[in-house]
Amino acid sequence: MEFAELIKTPRVDNVVLHRPFHSPVWGTLCLTGHHLILSSRQDNSEELWLLHSNIDSIDKRFVGTSGTITIKCKDLRIIQLEIGGMEECLNIASSIEALSTLDSITLMYPFFYRPMFDVTEDGWSLFSPEQEFEQLILETDDWRLSSVNGDYSVCLSYPQLVTVPKSIDDDSLRKVAAFRHAGRFPMLSYYHKKNGMVMMRSSQPLTGTNGKRCKEDEKLINATLKHGKRGYIIDTRALNVAQQSRARGGGFEQEAHYPQWRRIHKSIERFNILQESLIKLVEACNDQSHNMDRWLSKLEASNWLTHIKEILTTACLAAQCIDREGASVLVHGSEGMDSTLQVTSLAQIILDPRCRTIRGFESLIEREWLQGGHPFQQRCAQSAYSNSKPKWESPTFLLFLDCVWQILRQFPCSFQFNERLLLTLYEHSYASQFGTFLGNNDYERNKLKLSQKTLSLWSWVNQPSEINKLLNPLYEANGLVIWPSVAPQSLQLWEGVFLRWNRSSKYLEEAYEETAHIIEYNKELQVKVNALRRQLAELETEDGILETP
């Protein structure tokens, strides 16, 4: 298919661009295969370059012979294009609708993008399972790197190489995979250097109503326990939901078959409930009534911050089991590709200082989310404005990034990176010139040959000129575990995402200028703050919010 077939009118002059808190811009509108471009000859006017893949929905309205196209984007901005002819307006709207809903991944912009910068580092080869394993064997020799999934026949959503207990052979892994939903057998997610405890992740066991068991599965999980130790299975579903899964062939670990493990159910919502929550939240943030009571009521009704609390509470529980209880943990829900990854990733940020560095955080995203099989193509197909009925869409990754932002805000000296890195990941997970978030798993990315045909996001982010923008000036490296508060007063709306387009650029400039002034003052307090935190960590004080397993 040629893009020209979809572009009925490639260029329109005298188009007016309207954006909140910006003056109208007159210019020429051009459509290409992947971009909507508005170029103006006005002084101090920036060009608008909008990826078609970033468009969530469009609406058109006509007054006389002119029309207005309202474009709502996946990054939550809203723009209006005022076009002087009805035919031109209809053609532009029709072309945008067609170009923003292309079915074929290979027609997307990452396959056509050519970088305007020197690529000095191949982001595709930065974070491999082999590199992670090399770090692991420096600490322990109880694990091995298995190629049982080398042809993806065991599990389509797992990478080709997986880290498993050394005492478990590949034949046993195949039997365990047959006992777990979609073949997602328990594999290593994190090794805690402090005490040798581990965190594993998987999907639900297929016990069914008959209480089916798998001795190889029991052996694999028990292989992670030290002598005389118990473990915790954190199921991210409510108990009644897990019980209902048994009727559909799923289920959970029976205590009789896993006597050394205690099962804890922590309800984390997924799919449609989260998508509806995002839609309600964005609706609240776009409310122009200027009524504070109404706005707060809408914010509360969205339940977004409630979901944040549920996820953070469960992640803190997993971290607490490992660090304070000295126990290993297995985390799973149903498929093990959504709430499971939220919990395992956040627990590592709490426990491991390396995950709070730029490279460490990139490695975490690559390991837990991309290689871990989170279906980005499905989950990020729509955002908050789409008129289509949600199928598999869910803001799972955005919720994770929001949780990271909450922790970063509570511990501003513990992260090497700033909010901009989180915003970058959010934007590129929905629409990007890079191939990193294309596809739903490692199998699909290999099949599409993304590493050969597209550029990795990490190649761009890790340039010196870009990485300097992501650095946190308050950062001071330390080896402490950090315990975020999940009290209601501690969780805030992430303005950088949800109010980003509802504030004037002047407001943002003033905010950044004020931030620059207080950075020097904050640096002086930094040493005192970190010293106090170390003292608190030594005292092992708790604020009563974390739950004891």
Side-chain angles (χ1 to χ4, degrees), residues 70 136 163 228 322 376 419 432 474 480 490 510 523 533 546:
T70 300
L136 177 66
T163 304
I322 293 170
F376 280 98
E419 178 189 27
S432 179
L474 301 179
L480 297 176
S490 299
E510 290 174 353
K523 283 182 177 179
R533 283 173 46 235
L546 295 177

Side-chain angles (χ1 to χ4, degrees), residues 339-463:
S339 57
T340 298
L341 304 183
Q342 290 172 330
V343 172
T344 58
S345 300
L346 290 167
Q348 290 180 62
I349 288 172
I350 292 168
L351 294 169
D352 188 359
R354 185 173 74 103
C355 293
R356 304 193 287 266
T357 65
I358 293 177
R359 283 296 176 108
F361 189 67
E362 291 173 354
S363 175
L364 179 73
I365 299 299
E366 188 75 35
R367 184 175 67 251
E368 292 296 296
W369 291 87
L370 293 164
Q371 296 171 13
H374 180 66
F376 280 98
Q377 200 73 37
Q378 292 179 348
R379 299 292 184 266
C380 299
Q382 299 175 15
S383 186
Y385 296 125
S386 177
N387 297 318
S388 304
K389 185 178 180 180
K391 295 179 181 179
W392 303 106
E393 292 80 7
S394 177
T396 306
F397 188 61
L398 173 57
L399 268 165
F400 159 72
L401 294 174
D402 199 330
C403 289
V404 177
W405 178 80
Q406 302 287 345
I407 304 175
L408 189 155
R409 192 183 59 78
Q410 293 183 30
F411 298 90
C413 300
S414 295
F415 288 80
Q416 186 188 27
F417 54 87
N418 57 33
E419 178 189 27
R420 186 175 293 204
L421 176 58
L422 303 179
L423 290 171
T424 298
L425 291 171
Y426 157 61
E427 291 173 350
H428 286 274
S429 66
Y430 279 94
S432 179
Q433 66 268 44
F434 305 106
T436 301
F437 292 108
L438 289 182
N440 292 306
N441 48 55
D442 195 59
Y443 166 73
E444 290 187 10
R445 293 184 189 100
N446 267 339
K447 189 176 180 180
L448 291 165
K449 298 181 179 179
L450 294 184
S451 62
Q452 302 169 34
K453 297 182 178 181
T454 71
L455 193 68
S456 167
L457 173 64
W458 313 131
S459 296
W460 175 65
V461 167
N462 291 328
Q463 296 178 93

Side-chain angles (χ1 to χ4, degrees), residues 73-193:
C73 303
K74 293 176 182 176
D75 62 8
L76 306 184
R77 72 178 127 168
I78 300 176
I79 63 174
Q80 289 185 325
L81 299 173
E82 191 178 315
I83 300 175
M86 183 178 291
E87 183 180 354
E88 286 86 352
C89 186
L90 284 170
N91 286 343
I92 291 293
S94 174
S95 297
I96 293 174
E97 284 179 336
L99 291 166
S100 62
T101 55
L102 295 174
D103 290 330
S104 175
I105 294 180
T106 56
L107 292 177
M108 293 185 172
Y109 187 47
F111 286 91
F112 297 83
Y113 172 68
R114 295 296 176 264
M116 301 294 289
F117 60 91
D118 293 330
V119 180
T120 57
E121 189 173 49
D122 180 16
W124 291 110
S125 60
L126 280 183
F127 310 109
S128 66
E130 294 96 331
Q131 291 170 321
E132 289 295 325
F133 186 71
E134 286 176 6
Q135 296 297 315
L136 177 66
I137 58 177
L138 297 176
E139 306 295 333
T140 175
D141 63 352
D142 294 335
W143 300 81
R144 70 183 182 91
L145 202 59
S146 171
S147 59
V148 66
N149 199 42
D151 58 357
Y152 301 102
S153 61
V154 175
C155 179
L156 276 178
S157 59
Y158 270 2
Q160 293 174 296
L161 297 174
V162 291
T163 304
V164 295
K166 184 181 285 187
S167 58
I168 306 300
D169 59 33
D170 285 353
D171 287 338
S172 296
L173 290 177
R174 293 186 182 92
K175 293 177 181 178
V176 177
F179 180 66
R180 293 277 171 173
H181 178 87
R184 292 177 68 88
F185 55 85
M187 64 169 287
L188 182 67
S189 177
Y190 171 67
Y191 177 86
H192 197 42
K193 296 178 182 179

Side-chain angles (χ1 to χ4, degrees), residues 242-299:
Q243 290 173 334
Q244 291 168 9
S245 295
R246 295 174 65 182
R248 298 189 295 270
F252 48 84
E253 294 80 2
Q254 300 289 325
E255 293 178 5
H257 303 153
Y258 301 84
Q260 293 175 275
W261 293 82
R262 179 185 170 188
R263 195 178 69 251
I264 305 172
H265 289 271
K266 303 293 290 184
S267 178
I268 297 178
E269 300 291 355
R270 350 173 264 145
F271 297 140
N272 288 357
I273 292 176
L274 298 183
Q275 189 70 10
E276 290 169 8
S277 178
L278 175 64
I279 292 170
K280 289 179 180 178
L281 175 62
V282 172
E283 181 185 329
C285 292
N286 289 337
D287 190 337
Q288 300 296 318
S289 66
H290 303 293
N291 184 311
M292 181 60 72
D293 290 337
R294 178 178 171 180
W295 187 83
L296 290 173
S297 177
K298 281 190 170 185
L299 176 61

